[in-house]
Amino acid sequence: MRWSDDSSGGRRGYHHGNLREALIRAALDLIGQKGPAGFTFADAARMAGVSSAAPYRHFRDRDALLADVARRGFELFTTALDRAWNDGRPEPLRAFENIGRAFLDFARKEPAYYAAMFEAGVALESDPGLRQAADDAFAVLRKASETLCALLPRDSRPPALMMSLHVWALSHGIASLFARPDAGRRKLPMSADELLEAGVLVYLRGLGLAGGTTGGSR
Amino acid sequence: MRWSDDSSGGRRGYHHGNLREALIRAALDLIGQKGPAGFTFADAARMAGVSSAAPYRHFRDRDALLADVARRGFELFTTALDRAWNDGRPEPLRAFENIGRAFLDFARKEPAYYAAMFEAGVALESDPGLRQAADDAFAVLRKASETLCALLPRDSRPPALMMSLHVWALSHGIASLFARPDAGRRKLPMSADELLEAGVLVYLRGLGLAGGTTGGSR
DNA sequence: CATCTCATGTGAACGGCTCTTACATGAGTC
DNA sequence: GACTCATGTAAGAGCCGTTCACATGAGATG
């Protein structure tokens, strides 16, 4: 597949026209196919139909491109989580579970973005916008946690930040271990979604937030 | 640092004597310094004081060396978790928390092994021994979970496999997000150990396994 | 319209990496 | 002492990241 500009039939001349975007699309394609380690600046350039030096007009180096992909990934991630939370509707507890599903959904449906965000070893500091985007994504979960915590009586209210860190870590753990196209890391007796939902429910019950039974049944 | 055989003063001749081990130690050194992506077969060869073609006498390719490091890592990991569990002594609940601490301890003190095991993208299938070693490590946690589950009345007993998957995922999530020398992924209001311990306690309480309060106060 | 400028592209080159091949060495064996 | 074969080397093909000098042409300016 070539991401050059001539998709509209017109011949592309010396200048590409939108190389920056083309490179990012190529990167997503390649990361999706071969993982973040297998992705190559030269390959992306080939895909875009330009010489291997051209990308340097748009990104300082390979890592900068990766960081940009990660940043965009976090922005999409924030949107997805936010939509799932939907300001706590129809009901905080259910909305909270929706966030969990959205987390895994994103990891499954956008493996390239997810890999760039969490597995490519991109330093969050490499781009100021990147850290911000990552923080924004986390903020969605944090806000949701605060809403849930507020349901509890003041004297038995857990710290919302801690709660969001727990859920974030559990979600990422399940995503990276069991929900990647990595495939056969391990065979599961249940889907990753069910696993996460059950885990969050147990956790919330431990905080006194979810009713329900104590284990096996249901 | 050179890992060649002449550490005992003797000059090394044409043959190294123990290149395989030397390469693995070099790999650990390099992965520890520059991450699994930065590790280089050629660098390891240089460190061992041999030509860049020599490693191929001992490992099919770079990935095979990485896989071997990962396998050894899982073996050490199994030992560490097993020692922490110590057959449930002095008391199952406390022993279970010890596993959590041992998990993070390993991630912190053996970042090179941990990276090879969980972050290098080594396929578990690349080496039959690798999958086995990984399964063995998980089995420790699974056995501990079974012991804990058995403390509950039969009709409210959660599936031990599910429980071990939850704790495994939470531990790995916290380790990979907050306990790596990656350093500044995010600022925490508490240590990774405290975070994991608190998370496991809340989770266990949700299963009806740990007593205690419902959050902030105690 | 003619010209100028500067962002964006090219080609060639450097060094480094993975991996292969043909050949060298020498430790252990008969 | 001669042989063998695991283990080493040197050289090289093909890749990649990155840089540099140079080419191109789109848009501003007169």
Side-chain angles (χ1 to χ4, degrees):
Chain A
M1 198 178 310
R2 274 174 95 254
W3 290 116
S4 16
D5 221 15
D6 55 5
S7 39
S8 48
R11 195 82 206 98
R12 128 168 141 73
Y14 192 88
H15 290 298
H16 182 286
N18 200 4
L19 184 51
R20 193 182 172 90
E21 289 305 313
L23 287 172
I24 287 179
R25 281 189 290 176
L28 283 170
D29 226 51
L30 290 168
I31 297 173
Q33 287 173 30
K34 312 189 283 187
F39 151 71
T40 271
F41 226 33
D43 245 342
R46 252 189 302 279
M47 241 180 192
V50 298
S51 79
S52 65
Y56 291 88
R57 295 295 177 193
H58 299 273
F59 300 96
R60 193 171 19 76
D61 56 19
R62 181 181 174 282
D63 279 350
L65 170 50
L66 233 37
D68 209 67
V69 170
R71 186 183 51 74
R72 288 167 182 241
F74 275 116
E75 285 166 5
L76 293 175
F77 196 42
T78 301
T79 303
L81 296 185
D82 216 25
R83 192 194 327 269
W85 171 241
N86 192 23
D87 284 321
R89 280 165 294 196
E91 189 243 331
L93 231 130
R94 194 168 304 277
F96 198 76
E97 286 166 18
N98 286 341
I99 294 185
R101 259 188 295 280
F103 197 115
L104 293 191
D105 246 39
F106 187 87
R108 231 182 290 96
K109 295 192 181 151
E110 300 289 357
Y113 277 121
Y114 198 87
M117 292 153 60
F118 290 109
E119 297 164 2
V122 186
L124 271 304
E125 287 73 25
S126 64
D127 173 3
L130 176 54
R131 154 138 264 139
Q132 184 61 51
D135 285 351
D136 288 351
F138 179 73
V140 176
L141 186 54
R142 170 145 195 199
K143 180 175 170 72
S145 299
E146 267 157 10
T147 304
L148 248 68
C149 284
L151 296 179
L152 285 173
R154 193 174 292 279
D155 62 338
S156 67
R157 200 175 282 173
L161 174 55
M162 182 195 79
M163 172 176 166
S164 46
L165 288 169
H166 283 149
V167 175
W168 183 264
L170 180 62
S171 303
H172 171 60
I174 289 178
S176 81
L177 290 172
F178 311 121
R180 310 309 316 293
D182 230 317
R185 295 272 312 171
R186 204 176 297 278
K187 286 168 209 144
L188 290 185
M190 58 210 298
S191 76
D193 290 84
E194 293 169 322
L195 189 63
L196 178 55
E197 177 167 351
V200 169
L201 278 177
V202 171
Y203 178 83
L204 292 180
R205 195 185 309 135
L207 290 179
L209 265 165
T213 69
T214 324
S217 55
R218 163 147 188 88
Chain B
M1 199 180 310
R2 274 171 95 253
W3 290 115
S4 20
D5 221 14
D6 55 7
S7 39
S8 47
R11 193 84 208 97
R12 128 171 140 75
Y14 192 88
H15 290 297
H16 181 286
N18 200 4
L19 183 52
R20 193 181 171 90
E21 290 304 315
L23 287 172
I24 287 179
R25 280 188 291 175
L28 284 170
D29 226 51
L30 291 168
I31 296 173
Q33 286 173 31
K34 311 190 283 186
F39 152 72
T40 270
F41 226 33
D43 245 342
R46 252 189 302 278
M47 239 180 193
V50 297
S51 78
S52 66
Y56 291 88
R57 295 294 176 194
H58 299 274
F59 300 95
R60 192 170 23 73
D61 56 19
R62 181 180 174 282
D63 279 350
L65 170 50
L66 232 36
D68 209 67
V69 170
R71 186 184 49 75
R72 288 167 184 241
F74 275 116
E75 287 166 4
L76 293 175
F77 196 43
T78 302
T79 304
L81 296 185
D82 217 24
R83 192 194 328 267
W85 170 241
N86 192 24
D87 284 322
R89 281 166 293 198
E91 189 246 329
L93 231 129
R94 193 167 302 278
F96 198 76
E97 287 166 17
N98 287 339
I99 294 185
R101 259 187 296 280
F103 198 116
L104 293 191
D105 246 40
F106 187 88
R108 230 182 289 98
K109 295 191 181 152
E110 300 288 358
Y113 278 121
Y114 198 87
M117 292 154 63
F118 290 109
E119 297 166 1
V122 185
L124 271 305
E125 287 72 25
S126 65
D127 172 2
L130 176 54
R131 154 137 264 140
Q132 185 60 51
D135 286 351
D136 288 351
F138 180 73
V140 177
L141 186 55
R142 170 145 196 198
K143 181 175 170 71
S145 299
E146 267 156 11
T147 305
L148 248 65
C149 284
L151 297 179
L152 285 173
R154 191 174 294 278
D155 63 338
S156 66
R157 200 174 282 174
L161 174 54
M162 182 194 78
M163 170 175 166
S164 45
L165 288 169
H166 282 148
V167 175
W168 184 264
L170 180 62
S171 303
H172 171 60
I174 289 178
S176 81
L177 291 173
F178 311 120
R180 309 308 316 294
D182 230 319
R185 295 280 298 178
R186 206 177 294 278
K187 286 167 208 144
L188 289 185
M190 57 210 298
S191 76
D193 290 83
E194 293 169 323
L195 189 63
L196 177 57
E197 178 167 351
V200 170
L201 278 178
V202 171
Y203 178 83
L204 292 180
R205 195 185 308 136
L207 290 178
L209 265 165
T213 69
T214 324
S217 56
R218 149 136 206 116

Coordinates of all heavy atoms in Angstrom, one line a residue, chain B residues 14-16 51 53 57-58, chain D residues 6-12:
Chain B
Y14 N 42.6 -18.4 21.3 CA 41.7 -18.4 20.2 C 40.3 -18.7 20.7 O 39.3 -18.1 20.3 CB 42.1 -19.4 19.2 CG 41.4 -19.2 17.8 CD1 41.9 -18.4 16.8 CD2 40.3 -20.0 17.5 CE1 41.3 -18.3 15.6 CE2 39.7 -19.9 16.3 CZ 40.2 -19.0 15.3 OH 39.6 -18.9 14.1
H15 N 40.2 -19.6 21.6 CA 38.8 -20.0 22.1 C 38.5 -19.3 23.4 O 39.4 -19.1 24.3 CB 38.8 -21.5 22.3 CG 38.8 -22.3 21.0 ND1 37.8 -22.1 20.1 CD2 39.7 -23.1 20.4 CE1 38.0 -22.9 19.0 NE2 39.2 -23.5 19.2
H16 N 37.3 -18.9 23.5 CA 36.9 -18.1 24.7 C 36.8 -19.0 25.9 O 37.3 -18.6 27.0 CB 35.6 -17.4 24.4 CG 35.1 -16.6 25.5 ND1 34.6 -17.1 26.7 CD2 35.0 -15.2 25.7 CE1 34.2 -16.1 27.5 NE2 34.5 -15.0 26.9
S51 N 34.7 -11.8 18.1 CA 34.2 -11.1 16.9 C 32.7 -11.1 16.8 O 32.1 -11.9 17.5 CB 34.8 -11.8 15.7 OG 34.1 -13.0 15.4
A53 N 30.8 -12.3 14.8 CA 30.2 -13.6 14.2 C 30.1 -14.7 15.2 O 29.4 -15.6 15.1 CB 30.9 -14.0 13.0
R57 N 27.6 -19.0 17.0 CA 27.9 -20.4 17.3 C 27.1 -20.9 18.5 O 27.0 -22.1 18.8 CB 29.4 -20.5 17.7 CG 30.3 -20.2 16.5 CD 30.2 -21.3 15.4 NE 31.0 -21.0 14.3 CZ 30.8 -21.6 13.1 NH1 29.9 -22.5 12.9 NH2 31.6 -21.3 12.1
H58 N 26.5 -19.9 19.3 CA 25.8 -20.3 20.5 C 24.3 -20.0 20.5 O 23.6 -20.5 21.3 CB 26.5 -19.6 21.7 CG 27.9 -20.0 21.9 ND1 28.3 -21.1 22.6 CD2 29.1 -19.4 21.4 CE1 29.6 -21.2 22.5 NE2 30.1 -20.2 21.8
Chain D
dA6 P 30.8 -30.7 16.1 OP1 29.9 -31.9 16.5 OP2 30.5 -29.9 14.9 O5' 30.7 -29.7 17.4 C5' 31.3 -30.1 18.6 C4' 32.1 -29.0 19.3 O4' 33.3 -28.7 18.5 C3' 31.3 -27.7 19.4 O3' 31.7 -27.1 20.6 C2' 31.9 -26.9 18.2 C1' 33.3 -27.4 18.1 N9 33.9 -27.3 16.8 C8 33.4 -27.7 15.6 N7 34.2 -27.6 14.6 C5 35.3 -27.0 15.2 C6 36.6 -26.6 14.6 N6 36.9 -26.7 13.3 N1 37.5 -26.1 15.4 C2 37.2 -26.0 16.7 N3 36.1 -26.4 17.4 C4 35.2 -26.8 16.5
dT7 P 31.0 -25.7 21.1 OP1 31.1 -25.7 22.6 OP2 29.7 -25.6 20.4 O5' 32.0 -24.6 20.6 C5' 33.3 -24.5 21.2 C4' 34.1 -23.5 20.4 O4' 34.3 -24.0 19.1 C3' 33.5 -22.1 20.3 O3' 34.4 -21.2 20.8 C2' 33.3 -21.9 18.8 C1' 34.4 -22.8 18.3 N1 34.3 -23.3 16.9 C2 35.3 -23.0 16.0 O2 36.4 -22.5 16.4 N3 35.2 -23.5 14.7 C4 34.0 -24.1 14.2 O4 34.0 -24.4 13.0 C5 33.0 -24.3 15.1 C7 31.7 -24.9 14.7 C6 33.1 -23.9 16.4
dG8 P 33.9 -19.7 21.2 OP1 34.5 -19.4 22.5 OP2 32.5 -19.7 21.0 O5' 34.5 -18.8 20.0 C5' 35.8 -18.2 20.2 C4' 36.6 -18.1 18.9 O4' 36.2 -19.2 18.1 C3' 36.3 -16.9 18.0 O3' 37.1 -15.8 18.4 C2' 36.7 -17.4 16.6 C1' 36.7 -18.9 16.8 N9 35.7 -19.5 15.8 C8 34.5 -20.0 16.0 N7 33.9 -20.4 14.9 C5 34.8 -20.2 13.9 C6 34.7 -20.5 12.5 O6 33.8 -21.0 11.9 N1 35.8 -20.1 11.8 C2 36.9 -19.5 12.4 N2 37.9 -19.2 11.6 N3 37.0 -19.2 13.7 C4 35.9 -19.6 14.4
dT9 P 36.9 -14.4 17.7 OP1 37.8 -13.4 18.4 OP2 35.5 -14.2 17.5 O5' 37.5 -14.6 16.2 C5' 38.9 -14.9 16.0 C4' 39.2 -14.7 14.6 O4' 38.5 -15.7 13.8 C3' 38.8 -13.4 14.0 O3' 39.9 -12.8 13.3 C2' 37.6 -13.6 13.1 C1' 37.9 -15.1 12.7 N1 36.6 -15.8 12.4 C2 36.3 -16.3 11.2 O2 37.1 -16.2 10.3 N3 35.1 -16.9 11.1 C4 34.1 -17.1 12.1 O4 33.1 -17.7 11.8 C5 34.5 -16.5 13.3 C7 33.5 -16.7 14.5 C6 35.7 -15.9 13.5
dA10 P 39.8 -11.3 12.9 OP1 40.9 -10.6 13.5 OP2 38.4 -10.8 13.1 O5' 40.0 -11.3 11.3 C5' 40.2 -12.5 10.6 C4' 39.8 -12.3 9.1 O4' 38.6 -13.0 8.8 C3' 39.6 -10.8 8.7 O3' 39.9 -10.7 7.3 C2' 38.1 -10.7 8.9 C1' 37.6 -12.1 8.5 N9 36.4 -12.6 9.1 C8 36.0 -12.3 10.4 N7 34.9 -12.9 10.8 C5 34.5 -13.6 9.6 C6 33.4 -14.4 9.3 N6 32.4 -14.7 10.2 N1 33.3 -14.9 8.1 C2 34.2 -14.6 7.2 N3 35.3 -13.9 7.3 C4 35.4 -13.4 8.6
dA11 P 39.9 -9.2 6.6 OP1 41.2 -9.2 5.8 OP2 39.5 -8.2 7.6 O5' 38.7 -9.5 5.6 C5' 38.6 -10.8 4.9 C4' 37.3 -10.8 4.1 O4' 36.2 -11.3 5.0 C3' 36.8 -9.4 3.6 O3' 36.3 -9.6 2.4 C2' 35.8 -9.0 4.7 C1' 35.1 -10.4 4.9 N9 34.3 -10.5 6.1 C8 34.6 -9.9 7.3 N7 33.7 -10.2 8.3 C5 32.8 -11.1 7.6 C6 31.7 -11.8 8.1 N6 31.2 -11.7 9.3 N1 31.0 -12.6 7.2 C2 31.5 -12.6 5.9 N3 32.6 -12.0 5.4 C4 33.2 -11.3 6.3
dG12 P 35.9 -8.3 1.4 OP1 36.6 -8.5 0.1 OP2 36.0 -7.1 2.2 O5' 34.3 -8.5 1.1 C5' 33.8 -9.9 1.0 C4' 32.3 -9.9 1.2 O4' 32.0 -10.0 2.6 C3' 31.7 -8.5 0.7 O3' 30.4 -8.8 0.1 C2' 31.4 -7.9 2.1 C1' 31.0 -9.1 2.9 N9 31.0 -8.9 4.3 C8 31.9 -8.1 5.1 N7 31.6 -8.1 6.4 C5 30.4 -8.9 6.5 C6 29.6 -9.3 7.6 O6 29.8 -9.0 8.7 N1 28.6 -10.1 7.2 C2 28.3 -10.5 5.9 N2 27.2 -11.3 5.8 N3 29.0 -10.2 4.9 C4 30.1 -9.4 5.2

